[in-house]
Structure formats: structure tokens, C-alpha cells
Amino acid sequence: MPRVFFITGCSTGLGKSYAQEVIDRGDYVVATARSMDQLLSFKNATEKNFLPLVLDVTDQTSISNGFATALDKFARIDVVVNNAGYGLAGCFEEYDESQIRRQMEVNFFGLLDVTREALVAMRTKNTPPGGVIQQVTSIGGQRGVAGFSLYCASKFAVEGFTECVNKEMKPEWNIKLTCLEPGSFRTDWTGRSMTFAPRLTAYDHIDTKKSMDERHGKQAGDPDKGARVMYELAVMKDPPMRVAIGPDSYNLVMKKLQENGENFKKYEHLSCSTDYDN
């Protein structure tokens, strides 16, 4: 029986490649974006296997309506992919309050609202209950990057939230949550999808826009190959809690694990010196 995927942020990049991969594999996809015009170019999409929906993850009504429409058509949702998001670039002092709030509203709070709808659908609408929720975080959810403090904060928050919720699930619900941590892929993330803060002269030693412009269009990651990996993880019987997507992400995560191990071991004598004597 074909699986039903519900994917946010399908206008370009990994989201678009993922939705196409689902169709190519013979499954059904609910592809969402903020504009219907961005959902008209999928190959082999038919009324049977494809449902395009306008959805804004910062609008709770939009999310609820999207899930209701998907359930009306397909009667169940097997995989929810929280892919919608964007990058806010610049040093922390360069961000204004509206940019800070917007970054968290889209990347974190919007993801929470979609996750809540997904949990209810998978628990109460699917027969039998169950499903997979994939949170597309980033290598920036594992490592801090200069010039992306709020972006990384949003992704770190998703990682912690997802790890906790995964532990709250009853086994009989058969709901699994996974953090997908992509590295650099050749998408619009460093182009039109990125917002840049105004520069402050105090931070003239970090030019995030220049570095992003230099990388744009030259990233090693192939979105279609990334989408294939994400699909394979979605259909696993027991998917991992988190997984790096791309060699650069994998190598940076492994380096961070080594650094953390060395750091915690170095200060073990202080860490373990705080209990009462007896």
C-alpha cells in the first residue's frame, strides 16, 4: 500500500527533490509551499498521487486546514517532513528584533505546530496508529557557526525538542521522530532563501554575505541524492533519532563529538566533585 508523505517547504531545494522522490517511488505526497505557483512542476504527478497545498507554517489555521485536507483525500498520513525554513545570516548584534522573532517563528515554532498536528493524526487517524516525523535541522543544529547564531539556535532547539518528544511516545503508538542534519547542498538556501542582516562596522572581520555568495552554486551536495537518503530513512522499520546527511555534515558531527569527549574528560575532576561527601 502506498505511503502518504506530507512535506512542508516544497518550492525548491531538498523539499522539492524529496516530493519528486516520493512520486518516483510510487508513494503519495502532499506537497506544500506558500504559493501554489511553486508546486506546478512535478513530473508524473497525478490527481491520485499528488496533492499540492498552500501552507504557511507560521499560520496555525493554515496548518490545521492542510492536515484536514490531506486526511480527507488520503485518509492517513504516514510520514511528515518538517522541511520549511530559511537562514538568517549576520552576527548577533546585527539582527533587529523582528528578524530574530521571525527566524524562530518559522524554523522552530512553525515546526512545533506542524509536529503537533502530525502527532494527533498519527495517533488518532491512522489505522493502525503510527508514522514517522522527520525534522530537517542542519549541521547547524550540532555545531555553532559564526554569522548564524539565530539560525543555529533555532536548529539546536528543534534537536532538543525532538529528542524529548521521541521519549514521550508510547510504543503502541508506533510514532518515530528523526532529526535529519543536512550539510551543504546545491540549493537556494544560500541564495534567495537567505536573509542578511545590515552590517555593523564593529563586525567588519566577518562578512557572511561574501562567504555565502562565494559558496552559492558550488556546494558539493546533490539535492536529489539527499532526498533519496531521506526517503530511505523514512521507510526504515526503526529509523535513527538523528542522522547526518552529506559527507561534510557527517565529518563535522564526528569532529564535534570528539571535541566534546575531550572537553568533558578534561574537566571530569570538576564535574564529579559536587556530591555530598557521604
Side-chain angles (χ1 to χ4, degrees), residues 28 90 98 101 137 172 226 232 245-246:
Y28 301 160
S98 63
R101 300 286 175 178
T137 65
E172 57 264 34
E232 292 293 338
I245 309 291

mmCIF file with all atom_site columns, all heavy atoms in Angstrom, residues 28 90 98 101 137 172 226 232 245-246:
data_model
loop_
_atom_site.group_PDB
_atom_site.id
_atom_site.type_symbol
_atom_site.label_atom_id
_atom_site.label_alt_id
_atom_site.label_comp_id
_atom_site.label_asym_id
_atom_site.label_entity_id
_atom_site.label_seq_id
_atom_site.pdbx_PDB_ins_code
_atom_site.Cartn_x
_atom_site.Cartn_y
_atom_site.Cartn_z
_atom_site.occupancy
_atom_site.B_iso_or_equiv
_atom_site.pdbx_formal_charge
_atom_site.auth_seq_id
_atom_site.auth_comp_id
_atom_site.auth_asym_id
_atom_site.auth_atom_id
_atom_site.pdbx_PDB_model_num
ATOM 1  N N   . TYR A 1 28  ? 2.508  8.458  -2.326 1.00 0.00 ? 28  TYR A N   1
ATOM 2  C CA  . TYR A 1 28  ? 1.690  9.653  -2.490 1.00 0.00 ? 28  TYR A CA  1
ATOM 3  C C   . TYR A 1 28  ? 2.298  10.794 -1.692 1.00 0.00 ? 28  TYR A C   1
ATOM 4  O O   . TYR A 1 28  ? 2.875  10.578 -0.617 1.00 0.00 ? 28  TYR A O   1
ATOM 5  C CB  . TYR A 1 28  ? 0.260  9.409  -2.003 1.00 0.00 ? 28  TYR A CB  1
ATOM 6  C CG  . TYR A 1 28  ? -0.467 8.285  -2.698 1.00 0.00 ? 28  TYR A CG  1
ATOM 7  C CD1 . TYR A 1 28  ? -1.581 7.696  -2.104 1.00 0.00 ? 28  TYR A CD1 1
ATOM 8  C CD2 . TYR A 1 28  ? -0.068 7.816  -3.955 1.00 0.00 ? 28  TYR A CD2 1
ATOM 9  C CE1 . TYR A 1 28  ? -2.283 6.667  -2.741 1.00 0.00 ? 28  TYR A CE1 1
ATOM 10 C CE2 . TYR A 1 28  ? -0.748 6.795  -4.592 1.00 0.00 ? 28  TYR A CE2 1
ATOM 11 C CZ  . TYR A 1 28  ? -1.851 6.219  -3.978 1.00 0.00 ? 28  TYR A CZ  1
ATOM 12 O OH  . TYR A 1 28  ? -2.524 5.212  -4.610 1.00 0.00 ? 28  TYR A OH  1
ATOM 13 N N   . GLY A 1 90  ? 24.257 36.800 9.532  1.00 0.00 ? 90  GLY A N   1
ATOM 14 C CA  . GLY A 1 90  ? 24.792 38.012 10.123 1.00 0.00 ? 90  GLY A CA  1
ATOM 15 C C   . GLY A 1 90  ? 25.197 37.749 11.562 1.00 0.00 ? 90  GLY A C   1
ATOM 16 O O   . GLY A 1 90  ? 24.823 36.729 12.144 1.00 0.00 ? 90  GLY A O   1
ATOM 17 N N   . SER A 1 98  ? 12.768 42.085 14.978 1.00 0.00 ? 98  SER A N   1
ATOM 18 C CA  . SER A 1 98  ? 11.828 41.419 14.078 1.00 0.00 ? 98  SER A CA  1
ATOM 19 C C   . SER A 1 98  ? 12.492 40.255 13.344 1.00 0.00 ? 98  SER A C   1
ATOM 20 O O   . SER A 1 98  ? 11.866 39.209 13.111 1.00 0.00 ? 98  SER A O   1
ATOM 21 C CB  . SER A 1 98  ? 11.252 42.419 13.068 1.00 0.00 ? 98  SER A CB  1
ATOM 22 O OG  . SER A 1 98  ? 12.267 42.939 12.231 1.00 0.00 ? 98  SER A OG  1
ATOM 23 N N   . ARG A 1 101 ? 12.781 37.326 15.898 1.00 0.00 ? 101 ARG A N   1
ATOM 24 C CA  . ARG A 1 101 ? 11.486 36.673 16.127 1.00 0.00 ? 101 ARG A CA  1
ATOM 25 C C   . ARG A 1 101 ? 11.052 35.866 14.909 1.00 0.00 ? 101 ARG A C   1
ATOM 26 O O   . ARG A 1 101 ? 10.527 34.749 15.043 1.00 0.00 ? 101 ARG A O   1
ATOM 27 C CB  . ARG A 1 101 ? 10.427 37.720 16.473 1.00 0.00 ? 101 ARG A CB  1
ATOM 28 C CG  . ARG A 1 101 ? 10.733 38.528 17.720 1.00 0.00 ? 101 ARG A CG  1
ATOM 29 C CD  . ARG A 1 101 ? 10.516 37.724 18.971 1.00 0.00 ? 101 ARG A CD  1
ATOM 30 N NE  . ARG A 1 101 ? 10.923 38.466 20.160 1.00 0.00 ? 101 ARG A NE  1
ATOM 31 C CZ  . ARG A 1 101 ? 10.811 38.004 21.398 1.00 0.00 ? 101 ARG A CZ  1
ATOM 32 N NH1 . ARG A 1 101 ? 10.273 36.805 21.601 1.00 0.00 ? 101 ARG A NH1 1
ATOM 33 N NH2 . ARG A 1 101 ? 11.223 38.723 22.421 1.00 0.00 ? 101 ARG A NH2 1
ATOM 34 N N   . THR A 1 137 ? 16.797 19.514 10.254 1.00 0.00 ? 137 THR A N   1
ATOM 35 C CA  . THR A 1 137 ? 17.539 20.515 11.015 1.00 0.00 ? 137 THR A CA  1
ATOM 36 C C   . THR A 1 137 ? 18.724 20.966 10.167 1.00 0.00 ? 137 THR A C   1
ATOM 37 O O   . THR A 1 137 ? 18.535 21.579 9.122  1.00 0.00 ? 137 THR A O   1
ATOM 38 C CB  . THR A 1 137 ? 17.946 19.972 12.394 1.00 0.00 ? 137 THR A CB  1
ATOM 39 O OG1 . THR A 1 137 ? 18.877 18.895 12.262 1.00 0.00 ? 137 THR A OG1 1
ATOM 40 C CG2 . THR A 1 137 ? 16.739 19.518 13.174 1.00 0.00 ? 137 THR A CG2 1
ATOM 41 N N   . GLU A 1 172 ? 3.036  1.552  21.614 1.00 0.00 ? 172 GLU A N   1
ATOM 42 C CA  . GLU A 1 172 ? 1.909  1.131  20.784 1.00 0.00 ? 172 GLU A CA  1
ATOM 43 C C   . GLU A 1 172 ? 1.460  2.204  19.799 1.00 0.00 ? 172 GLU A C   1
ATOM 44 O O   . GLU A 1 172 ? 0.709  1.921  18.857 1.00 0.00 ? 172 GLU A O   1
ATOM 45 C CB  . GLU A 1 172 ? 0.720  0.698  21.656 1.00 0.00 ? 172 GLU A CB  1
ATOM 46 C CG  . GLU A 1 172 ? 0.226  1.752  22.627 1.00 0.00 ? 172 GLU A CG  1
ATOM 47 C CD  . GLU A 1 172 ? 0.819  1.592  24.019 1.00 0.00 ? 172 GLU A CD  1
ATOM 48 O OE1 . GLU A 1 172 ? 1.999  1.171  24.110 1.00 0.00 ? 172 GLU A OE1 1
ATOM 49 O OE2 . GLU A 1 172 ? 0.107  1.892  25.000 1.00 0.00 ? 172 GLU A OE2 1
ATOM 50 N N   . GLY A 1 226 ? 20.376 13.637 -1.788 1.00 0.00 ? 226 GLY A N   1
ATOM 51 C CA  . GLY A 1 226 ? 19.972 13.863 -0.402 1.00 0.00 ? 226 GLY A CA  1
ATOM 52 C C   . GLY A 1 226 ? 18.553 13.411 -0.163 1.00 0.00 ? 226 GLY A C   1
ATOM 53 O O   . GLY A 1 226 ? 18.237 12.797 0.870  1.00 0.00 ? 226 GLY A O   1
ATOM 54 N N   . GLU A 1 232 ? 14.867 6.877  2.200  1.00 0.00 ? 232 GLU A N   1
ATOM 55 C CA  . GLU A 1 232 ? 15.279 5.584  2.761  1.00 0.00 ? 232 GLU A CA  1
ATOM 56 C C   . GLU A 1 232 ? 15.137 5.579  4.279  1.00 0.00 ? 232 GLU A C   1
ATOM 57 O O   . GLU A 1 232 ? 14.716 4.577  4.878  1.00 0.00 ? 232 GLU A O   1
ATOM 58 C CB  . GLU A 1 232 ? 16.727 5.270  2.365  1.00 0.00 ? 232 GLU A CB  1
ATOM 59 C CG  . GLU A 1 232 ? 16.937 5.002  0.885  1.00 0.00 ? 232 GLU A CG  1
ATOM 60 C CD  . GLU A 1 232 ? 16.261 3.721  0.410  1.00 0.00 ? 232 GLU A CD  1
ATOM 61 O OE1 . GLU A 1 232 ? 15.989 2.833  1.244  1.00 0.00 ? 232 GLU A OE1 1
ATOM 62 O OE2 . GLU A 1 232 ? 15.992 3.615  -0.807 1.00 0.00 ? 232 GLU A OE2 1
ATOM 63 N N   . ILE A 1 245 ? 23.296 14.165 6.987  1.00 0.00 ? 245 ILE A N   1
ATOM 64 C CA  . ILE A 1 245 ? 23.022 13.992 5.563  1.00 0.00 ? 245 ILE A CA  1
ATOM 65 C C   . ILE A 1 245 ? 24.106 14.740 4.792  1.00 0.00 ? 245 ILE A C   1
ATOM 66 O O   . ILE A 1 245 ? 24.133 15.967 4.772  1.00 0.00 ? 245 ILE A O   1
ATOM 67 C CB  . ILE A 1 245 ? 21.634 14.538 5.167  1.00 0.00 ? 245 ILE A CB  1
ATOM 68 C CG1 . ILE A 1 245 ? 20.537 13.979 6.077  1.00 0.00 ? 245 ILE A CG1 1
ATOM 69 C CG2 . ILE A 1 245 ? 21.353 14.226 3.706  1.00 0.00 ? 245 ILE A CG2 1
ATOM 70 C CD1 . ILE A 1 245 ? 20.252 12.519 5.909  1.00 0.00 ? 245 ILE A CD1 1
ATOM 71 N N   . GLY A 1 246 ? 25.009 13.996 4.180  1.00 0.00 ? 246 GLY A N   1
ATOM 72 C CA  . GLY A 1 246 ? 26.115 14.593 3.432  1.00 0.00 ? 246 GLY A CA  1
ATOM 73 C C   . GLY A 1 246 ? 27.442 14.338 4.131  1.00 0.00 ? 246 GLY A C   1
ATOM 74 O O   . GLY A 1 246 ? 27.514 14.371 5.372  1.00 0.00 ? 246 GLY A O   1
#
